[in-house]
């Protein structure tokens, strides 16, 4: 952080140190002190959003995350930043790290079925597009196959932001299919200046649109959000 740049309002207040090697810190879930933290050097790994992570049957840690190809571009020329979706497997005993690129497309602001957060999951849904906040579509990645299995482009001059997966049934759980639900996003048409809330079928090979709600105003690109069911809203207001 550069406090002088921050106070002067001259560009990004964050600086990169290219000579430094990125590290991932992992701490046991039952740790009693931060001294139990283990650090792993991961050259070239520049992740902002972890899509999911879990411990596999062998005690390895698996991480799914978009990796920025160039951190200097991210802070000083963001439109030239490309994000590769990566899968990392960290051997907690030997420190060895296996890395695999799951997609060459620029993918960010993704989502999974929240029931599988911190557990082994099969599917991730990622916003696709070269611009960091302005996304041209959404793709579904199968982590077992290691490839894209479904996609939807929003159309000419139409862009969205973060995508969100929501289970179909109110009692949705691990006994249901992981991808039995919907993918949602706000989409803005830059020619007509109209915005829509779009709901897509997560199981469909083309992520078919199942509902469209025209919005009275625009939702800016890149904003994060959550989905709350009606009962959860009532509970929140009562609290």
């Amino acid at each position: 952080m550069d406090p002088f740049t921050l106070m002067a309002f001259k560009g990004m207040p964050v600086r990169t140190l290219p000579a430094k090697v990125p590290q991932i810190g992992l701490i046991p879930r039952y740790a009693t002190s931060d001294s139990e933290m283990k650090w792993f050097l991961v050259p070239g790994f520049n992740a902002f959003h972890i899509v999911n992570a879990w411990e596999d049957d062998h005690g390895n840690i698996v991480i799914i995350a978009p990796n920025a190809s160039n951190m200097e571009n991210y802070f000083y020329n963001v439109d030239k930043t490309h994000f590769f979706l990566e899968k990392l497997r960290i051997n907690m005993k030997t420190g060895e790290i296996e890395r695999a690129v799951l997609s060459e497309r620029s993918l960010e602001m993704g989502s999974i079925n929240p029931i599988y957060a911190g557990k082994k999951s099969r599917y991730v849904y990622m916003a696709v597009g070269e611009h960091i906040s302005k996304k041209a579509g959404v793709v579904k990645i199968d982590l077992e196959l290691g490839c894209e299995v479904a996609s939807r482009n929003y159309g000419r001059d139409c862009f969205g932001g973060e995508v969100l997966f929501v289970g179909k049934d109110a009692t949705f759980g691990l006994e249901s299919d992981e991808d039995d639900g919907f993918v949602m996003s706000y989409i803005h048409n830059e020619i007509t200046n109209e915005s829509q809330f779009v709901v897509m079928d997560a199981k469909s090979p083309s992520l078919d649109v199942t509902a469209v709600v025209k919005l009275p105003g625009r939702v800016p690109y890149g904003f994060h959000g959550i989905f709350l069911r009606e009962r959860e809203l009532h509970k929140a207001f009562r609290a």
Side-chain angles (χ1 to χ4, degrees):
M1 182 69 73
D2 184 349
F4 298 105
T5 301
L6 181 63
M7 290 186 291
F9 299 102
K10 294 181 178 180
M12 291 289 288
V14 180
R15 294 180 296 177
T16 60
L17 299 174
K20 297 289 186 179
V21 178
Q23 300 182 64
I24 293 177
L26 298 174
I27 190 167
R29 61 171 61 88
Y30 300 116
T32 58
S33 167
D34 60 3
S35 64
E36 297 181 57
M37 176 81 77
K38 291 185 177 181
W39 291 96
F40 302 86
L41 295 174
V42 191
F45 186 66
N46 308 300
F48 285 83
H49 300 108
I50 302 297
V51 183
N52 199 15
W54 65 86
E55 183 179 7
D56 68 16
D57 295 336
H58 303 287
N60 303 315
I61 301 300
V62 179
I63 299 174
I64 308 297
N67 179 22
S69 58
N70 187 306
M71 282 301 297
E72 289 190 73
N73 278 346
Y74 183 85
F75 289 116
Y76 306 114
N77 198 348
V78 69
D79 288 344
K80 291 187 177 181
T81 304
H82 190 94
F83 286 87
F84 299 96
L85 186 64
E86 281 202 34
K87 180 179 182 179
L88 290 78
R89 189 182 304 274
I90 303 175
N91 188 313
M92 295 296 290
K93 296 178 181 178
T94 66
E96 182 182 356
I97 300 176
E98 298 176 9
R99 299 174 64 173
V101 174
L102 299 173
S103 176
E104 295 288 345
R105 292 222 232 183
S106 189
L107 306 179
E108 244 290 5
M109 295 189 290
S111 177
I112 63 166
N113 180 337
I115 297 293
Y116 288 81
K119 305 180 181 70
K120 182 179 179 180
S121 57
R122 179 168 182 175
Y123 301 109
V124 297
Y125 305 86
M126 304 294 300
V128 56
E130 291 298 331
H131 194 285
I132 184 62
S133 61
K134 195 166 76 172
K135 301 304 182 182
V138 57
V139 298
K140 176 182 180 181
I141 304 291
D142 186 322
L143 299 179
E144 290 187 7
L145 298 178
C147 65
E148 178 183 314
V149 292
S151 66
R152 170 159 291 274
N153 187 284
Y154 296 145
R156 184 176 180 180
D157 300 313
C158 292
F159 302 95
E162 181 182 43
V163 296
L164 189 68
F165 177 91
V166 176
K168 182 178 293 185
D169 192 271
T171 58
F172 190 74
L174 292 174
E175 69 278 0
S176 304
D177 289 342
E178 183 184 333
D179 59 349
D180 190 13
F182 305 98
V183 182
M184 306 175 178
S185 188
Y186 295 106
I187 298 176
H188 180 68
N189 187 313
E190 295 191 339
I191 301 301
T192 64
N193 201 33
E194 293 180 336
S195 291
Q196 298 175 329
F197 177 67
V198 178
V199 181
M200 295 160 274
D201 180 3
K203 273 183 170 285
S204 167
S206 55
L207 300 177
D208 294 338
V209 174
T210 60
V212 176
V213 180
K214 186 176 180 179
L215 302 177
R218 180 188 170 193
V219 177
Y221 300 130
F223 273 39
H224 296 303
I226 61 172
F227 179 85
L228 296 175
R229 301 184 189 279
E230 187 174 6
R231 67 173 183 274
E232 294 169 323
L233 282 172
H234 289 318
K235 183 178 180 181
F237 284 122
R238 285 198 300 268

